[in-house]
Amino acid sequence: MASNPRFAGPTPFARLGYTQAASVAGDAFVTVSLAGSLFFNVGPDAARGKVLLYLALTLAPFAVVAPLIAPVLDRTRGGRRLVIVLAAAGRAVLAIVMAQNLDGLLLYPAAFGILVLGKAHQIAKSALTPELVGDKDELVTANSRLAMISVVAAAGAGVPAAGIQQVVGAEVSLFLGAAVFVVAAVLAFKIPRAARVAPGETEAERAELHVPSITVAGSAMGMLRGVVGFLTFLLAFSLKAEGEPAWFYGVVLVASVGGGFLGVVVAPLLKRMMREEVLLACSLVVPAAVGVYAAWRDNRSAFVSIALAVAVGAAAGKIAFDSLLQRDGPDHIRGRAFARFETRFQLLWVVGALIPTAIPLDSRVGFFMLALGLGIAGISYFGAYRRANEAVERRQARMNRIRAPIEATIRRRARRLLGRKDPAPPPEPAPEPEPEPEPPSTASPPAKGHAPRRADPGPARTL
């Protein structure tokens, strides 16, 4: 029975998927509870101030997380799993503290702690994924599956969390979130440790992460992630200012979640037909076009369409970037590279969210700013991609010109060391001899007027 695959235990990657689903579900409970207490229950101006403080607190985790967990991630086999376990357990404790201090001074410090641990979980998850995937060529597929799991878990937990928050209150929703985090910690214990300690990062590998294809793509993806944060709070404050009913918030949320799911499903299919750079450029340009439509219409259909388009572009662009990083990045520090870029993208999401929170923007102006930023980023990325390709081609041609005489010299010296002589050049073919002229005849021509004598036939035969 043990040899039957139907009765085999879950794979290491499947265990990580279960943990990711529980962690995202717990975050959904906490986010919905905070949205109810910080945003919907107060006026627009008061909500803007509270959300601005919340986002300002969100920036600090990036300065705290990176220097603290990097040694744990890189120097121990079980460091990544330990970070995931501690992040889930710590969020469970802090969610209980928040439930008991919704109107107290401990609310924001507890929220700050949950944010720090949430970022630590995301970084550790990104670093652990390559170690749990058997085939490194399947890393992009694994990342897309984790993204799909996150979308489904967030939608599946967010709807009941919103209902519980409306009917019973944020306290119960936070207690349930704490229980989900406990489940995530238990599931994380079953994730196997990494097979080896990550090797140190060399100068050559660090230089490989700064090749033009990766740096330019990272900037484009960072712009896209910043736009997601910008649009999230632009829609939230615009809908609140216009007095839209609660059900329309749900419609916009469903459009965003559905767009993320659609992007995760469609992007691997599109990647078979086009290069990663083209897919990433389309992920910028297509939402920019929809942003122009949204700025022109500025109605409910515009809100839904821009939420859907940006979610699709963000999901497809992330898969394209992951595939490009896997293709051009160094293999030995691939997990560290994924974690590094994910940290940068999270930071840019917060920076984008700060803009509509700190500066009140009309929805039409915000949609136009979004379209302009994405359009410029898409065109700039495509131009930079072409210039980078041309530079690579010129460098390769120059290296080929330099390499050819060096290789010829090495081969010649190797033959001398082995006692072989250089092959002599093939002899030139000898020219064909010209035909000798015939010598002039010495017989005198017959005299004029006389017929030439005939040869004597000899005596006649008698019968």
Side-chain angles (χ1 to χ4, degrees):
M1 183 179 296
S3 61
N4 193 327
R6 293 180 299 172
F7 301 100
T11 63
F13 178 76
R15 296 182 187 278
L16 178 62
Y18 300 151
T19 306
Q20 176 69 9
S23 177
V24 171
D27 286 333
F29 274 95
V30 173
T31 302
V32 169
S33 302
L34 285 177
S37 59
L38 297 179
F39 188 79
F40 290 105
N41 292 338
V42 295
D45 295 334
R48 191 178 297 275
K50 288 187 175 184
V51 173
L52 183 60
L53 177 60
Y54 181 78
L55 290 173
L57 288 174
T58 307
L59 287 173
F62 297 98
V64 175
V65 167
L68 290 182
I69 72 169
V72 179
L73 290 177
D74 296 337
R75 297 175 187 173
T76 58
R77 287 180 54 199
R80 300 175 178 91
R81 184 185 66 176
L82 179 62
V83 170
I84 293 176
V85 171
L86 294 179
R91 282 180 289 174
V93 174
L94 292 175
I96 295 174
V97 173
M98 291 175 61
Q100 297 174 345
N101 295 274
L102 284 175
D103 298 324
L105 296 177
L106 291 179
L107 176 63
Y108 285 101
F112 171 76
I114 284 184
L115 290 171
V116 171
L117 295 176
K119 304 310 176 186
H121 168 86
Q122 293 173 1
I123 294 173
K125 182 261 298 180
S126 298
L128 183 60
T129 302
E131 298 294 334
L132 301 181
V133 177
D135 186 1
K136 297 302 181 184
D137 294 334
E138 297 296 326
L139 184 57
V140 174
T141 303
N143 286 326
S144 64
R145 288 176 181 173
L146 287 176
M148 188 179 300
I149 289 171
S150 300
V151 170
V152 174
V159 174
I164 293 171
Q165 196 270 338
Q166 289 291 330
V167 175
V168 184
E171 296 86 352
V172 178
S173 179
L174 285 170
F175 278 119
L176 289 176
V180 175
F181 281 132
V182 171
V183 174
V186 173
L187 292 173
F189 268 115
K190 298 182 178 298
I191 299 175
R193 295 187 300 174
R196 55 185 175 82
V197 178
E201 184 178 2
T202 63
E203 290 294 334
E205 291 170 339
R206 189 178 296 110
E208 287 184 39
L209 284 179
H210 290 82
V211 296
S213 61
I214 295 179
T215 56
V216 175
S219 300
M221 187 61 211
M223 178 66 182
L224 189 56
R225 188 66 68 86
V227 165
V228 173
F230 174 85
L231 181 64
T232 299
F233 286 90
L234 175 67
L235 291 177
F237 285 110
S238 298
L239 293 175
K240 190 174 183 64
E242 296 179 8
E244 293 289 349
W247 64 265
F248 188 64
Y249 285 88
V251 172
V252 175
L253 180 61
V254 169
S256 179
V257 173
F261 184 82
L262 182 62
V264 170
V265 173
V266 173
L269 302 178
L270 294 177
K271 196 168 69 67
R272 299 175 184 175
M273 299 181 290
M274 61 182 69
R275 290 179 60 87
E276 291 83 356
E277 291 85 353
V278 178
L279 180 57
L280 183 54
C282 293
S283 300
L284 293 165
V285 175
V286 173
V290 178
V292 174
Y293 164 79
W296 171 54
R297 299 290 296 176
D298 193 28
N299 54 13
R300 287 183 173 178
S301 65
F303 281 71
V304 174
S305 60
I306 191 63
L308 177 67
V310 170
V312 173
K318 183 62 168 62
I319 292 177
F321 176 77
D322 289 347
S323 177
L324 191 147
L325 182 60
Q326 178 186 357
R327 184 193 71 190
D328 296 344
D331 295 336
H332 296 297
I333 59 170
R334 185 175 296 163
R336 196 178 307 160
F338 273 103
R340 182 179 303 171
F341 279 106
E342 183 62 29
T343 303
R344 186 183 304 174
F345 297 155
Q346 292 287 338
L347 176 61
L348 292 173
W349 185 95
V350 178
V351 172
L354 282 171
I355 297 175
T357 305
I359 305 173
L361 295 174
D362 180 71
S363 58
R364 190 186 298 272
V365 175
F367 293 153
F368 179 76
M369 291 174 58
L370 181 148
L372 184 63
L374 285 177
I376 293 175
I379 296 173
S380 301
Y381 172 67
F382 190 74
Y385 161 64
R386 293 189 59 183
R387 289 193 298 272
N389 275 351
E390 293 173 357
V392 170
E393 291 176 358
R394 289 195 299 270
R395 190 181 303 112
Q396 289 178 348
R398 185 167 59 252
M399 292 301 296
N400 290 336
R401 290 195 299 269
I402 297 173
R403 187 186 299 117
I406 295 175
E407 291 179 350
T409 303
I410 293 174
R411 286 195 298 266
R412 187 164 54 251
R413 291 182 178 178
R415 283 192 295 266
R416 290 175 181 174
L417 290 175
L418 295 176
R420 300 175 183 174
K421 296 181 179 180
D422 292 339
E428 296 182 359
E432 296 182 2
E434 296 181 0
E436 297 180 359
E438 297 181 359
S441 175
T442 56
S444 59
K448 188 176 181 181
H450 295 275
R453 285 191 299 177
R454 294 179 181 176
D456 187 8
R461 283 184 188 176
T462 59
L463 298 176

